[in-house]
Amino acid sequence: MKKSKYIRVWLRKTGRFLWEHLRWVRYLNPLRLLSRLDRYIVAKFIGTYIYSIILIISIAIVFDVNENLSKFSTYGAPLKAIVFDYYANFLPYFANLFSPLFVFIAVIFFTSKLAGNSEIIAMLAAGVSFRRLMRPYLLSAALIALVNYYLGAYIIPKGNIVRQDFEAKYKNNDKITSASNVQLMVGPGIIAYIQQYDDNTKTGYGFSLDKFEKKKLVSHMTASVIRYDTISDDRFHWKAQNYKIRTLKGLREDIKSGSVIDTLIHMEPMDLVFSKGQQETLTSDELRQYISKQTERGSSNVVQYEVEYYKRIATSFASFILTIIGASLSSKKRKGGMGVSLGIGLGLSFSYILLQTISSTFAINADTPPLLAAWIPNILYAIIAYYCYRQAPN
C-alpha cells in the first residue's frame, strides 16, 4: 500500500512540474488552431471522401471482373496473381487517377446535406463568413492533395510495374520485348547501335559503339553479342562478347580484340524497348532523371514522360479547384435537394477529366508544350471556381 501511495504522489508531482514548466508544448499542437466547426467539416469531408472511394471502387471491381474474367481464364491466370498482383495494384491506381472526381462528389454530397439541414444558414447567421467557412474545406483538400501526390509519385508507380506485367501475361498478351536497329547517343559524341535486342534475356546482337571528337572518329568498337549485367550493384554495366576495339590516332590504328570484356555504357534496357504505359511505372525522381537523360541525347520520345511528370503535380492542385467549385455550388439550400448540385458537379468533374485527357493527347501528337498541356484544365477550371465562389452565399 505504501509503495502504491508513493507512486501516486510521484506521478502527481511530476505531472504538476511538467504542466508548469512545459506549458509551451501546447502551442506545438496544430489541432489547437482548429475550432470545433473546422474539425466537424474536416471529419465530414474526409469521411465522405473515403466512403465515395469505397463505393465507386467496389462498383468498378464488379464491372472489371465481369469484363476480364474470360481473359483471365483463357490465359490461365492464378487466383493469387489476380488478387495480389492485379487488383491490389489496380485499386490504388484507379482511386488516385479519379481522385478529383471523388473529391468533387464528397464535397457536393456532404455540403448539400449540411445546406439541406439549414446548418450552412446557421453558420452564416452566426457571423461566419463564407470565406472563413472555406478554411476547413481547403485544409481537407490540402491533406488529400499531399497524399495523392505522394502515392502517385512514389508508391503507385512501383505497383504499376507488377500490374502491367500481369496484364501483359494474362490479359493483353502484347508486351513489347524486342527492338531492332536501335541507335542512340549514350554520351557526348558517343553513338551506340544495336541491330537486334531481346528484352527477355537483356541481350543485344550486332553491337557497335562509335566515339567522335571534333566530328572525327577516334574509336570504333564492335561486338557480336552484348548483355546487360543484371546482378551488378551499379548501373550501366554490359558484357560484350567477341569484341573488337579500333582506336584511331592520326594515321595509326590500334586494334584490340577478345572473347569477353566488361564495359560501362550509359544506357539501360528501358532505353532500348518502349512499352505502352512505361511512364506510369517510373517515380517522379526517375521520370525527372529519364527526361533529362533523353533530352541530352536529343531523343524525340520524351513528351509523354514530361506530360506524366507535370500531370502528377497538376492533378494534386485540382483538389483545391474542385473543392471550391463543389462547396460554392452546394452551399445554397435548394428546394429540390442535392440533385441539381450533384448533376452539375458530376458534369463538371467528368468534363475536367475529359479535358485532361484531351490536352495530354494534344501534347503528345500536336506539339503542345507538356507543361501547358498539363495545366490547361486547372487554368480553365480555376476561372470557373472563382466565378462560383463569387456567386456563393455570404
Side-chain angles (χ1 to χ4, degrees):
M1 295 294 294
K2 288 185 177 181
K3 186 176 181 180
S4 61
K5 181 179 179 180
Y6 288 144
I7 292 175
R8 288 196 301 269
V9 172
W10 180 83
L11 290 175
R12 192 181 303 114
K13 290 182 178 180
T14 303
R16 189 180 299 115
F17 174 83
L18 293 176
W19 176 258
E20 293 176 355
H21 294 84
L22 299 179
R23 191 175 298 176
W24 55 273
V25 175
R26 294 180 299 169
Y27 295 98
L28 299 179
N29 184 11
L31 295 179
R32 72 181 182 85
L33 301 175
L34 299 179
S35 64
R36 181 176 297 180
L37 174 64
D38 294 331
R39 292 194 294 269
Y40 176 70
I41 293 179
V42 169
K44 287 281 188 179
F45 194 151
I46 302 299
T48 310
Y49 173 75
I50 296 175
Y51 175 77
S52 64
I53 288 179
I54 295 174
L55 180 63
I56 298 177
I57 288 294
S58 301
I59 298 174
I61 291 177
V62 173
F63 281 99
D64 191 79
V65 170
N66 183 60
E67 180 182 356
N68 297 312
L69 188 60
S70 60
K71 295 181 180 179
F72 294 157
S73 60
T74 300
Y75 293 109
L79 179 61
K80 181 179 179 181
I82 294 174
V83 175
F84 295 102
D85 292 346
Y86 182 65
Y87 283 109
N89 295 299
F90 170 79
L91 300 185
Y93 170 77
F94 187 86
N96 193 72
L97 180 65
F98 293 100
S99 179
L101 173 63
F102 300 141
V103 169
F104 216 56
I105 291 176
V107 173
I108 291 287
F109 186 81
F110 88 87
T111 306
S112 297
K113 194 170 183 180
L114 292 179
N117 295 334
S118 300
E119 294 181 63
I120 299 292
I121 296 176
M123 295 174 192
L124 298 177
V128 178
S129 65
F130 187 76
R131 181 179 179 181
R132 170 62 181 84
L133 187 63
M134 288 300 299
R135 189 170 77 176
Y137 281 89
L138 295 180
L139 177 61
S140 303
L143 293 175
I144 294 173
L146 289 174
V147 172
N148 285 339
Y149 177 75
Y150 181 77
L151 290 176
Y154 299 102
I155 304 300
I156 294 178
K158 299 177 181 178
N160 285 340
I161 298 175
V162 180
R163 179 179 60 84
Q164 290 185 8
D165 288 341
F166 175 90
E167 290 178 346
K169 188 176 181 180
Y170 298 113
K171 185 179 176 181
N172 301 324
N173 199 24
D174 59 353
K175 185 176 181 180
I176 300 175
T177 59
S178 63
S180 59
N181 297 323
V182 180
Q183 185 176 12
L184 68 160
M185 185 169 64
V186 296
I190 304 176
I191 309 297
Y193 172 80
I194 298 178
Q195 185 177 8
Q196 190 70 30
Y197 176 76
D198 183 5
D199 194 53
N200 291 325
T201 59
K202 305 292 189 271
T203 304
Y205 305 92
F207 173 77
S208 67
L209 186 69
D210 296 327
K211 183 178 181 180
F212 295 87
E213 290 183 0
K214 297 180 180 179
K215 299 183 180 180
K216 291 184 179 180
L217 181 65
V218 296
S219 177
H220 177 70
M221 173 185 176
T222 59
S224 60
V225 179
I226 187 169
R227 182 175 288 107
Y228 188 70
D229 191 353
T230 56
I231 63 175
S232 175
D233 295 332
D234 299 323
R235 299 163 60 191
F236 312 123
H237 277 263
W238 295 82
K239 289 186 178 182
Q241 300 177 8
N242 300 324
Y243 69 93
K244 180 184 290 186
I245 302 175
R246 296 171 55 199
T247 304
L248 305 176
K249 298 179 180 179
L251 299 177
R252 296 182 55 189
E253 180 181 14
D254 295 335
I255 299 177
K256 180 182 178 182
S257 60
S259 58
V260 179
I261 186 175
D262 291 334
T263 183
L264 187 67
I265 305 173
H266 283 268
M267 65 179 184
E268 296 178 281
M270 64 176 297
D271 299 329
L272 306 175
V273 177
F274 301 97
S275 57
K276 183 180 178 181
Q278 182 174 315
Q279 69 275 10
E280 296 176 352
T281 64
L282 301 178
T283 64
S284 289
D285 293 338
E286 293 172 343
L287 270 176
R288 187 168 55 250
Q289 295 173 4
Y290 183 84
I291 292 170
S292 177
K293 181 173 64 175
Q294 295 298 100
T295 303
E296 291 177 356
R297 292 174 174 175
S299 175
S300 60
N301 189 27
V302 72
V303 177
Q304 56 188 349
Y305 295 88
E306 292 179 323
V307 171
E308 177 67 21
Y309 178 77
Y310 293 123
K311 188 172 70 173
R312 292 176 182 178
I313 302 174
T315 303
S316 300
F317 278 92
S319 298
F320 296 97
I321 298 172
L322 297 180
T323 295
I324 295 174
I325 296 175
S328 301
L329 287 176
S330 56
S331 57
K332 295 180 181 179
K333 185 175 182 180
R334 290 183 171 87
K335 188 175 182 180
M338 71 177 69
V340 176
S341 300
L342 187 61
I344 297 174
L346 288 176
L348 286 173
S349 57
F350 278 117
S351 63
Y352 172 85
I353 296 173
L354 178 62
L355 181 60
Q356 193 177 54
T357 304
I358 293 174
S359 62
S360 301
T361 304
F362 270 102
I364 297 174
N365 300 323
D367 295 331
T368 305
L371 179 60
L372 178 62
W375 280 91
I376 282 177
N378 284 358
I379 295 173
L380 294 179
Y381 278 78
I383 298 173
I384 298 175
Y386 179 75
Y387 174 79
C388 293
Y389 176 77
R390 297 295 298 178
Q391 299 299 317
N394 291 288

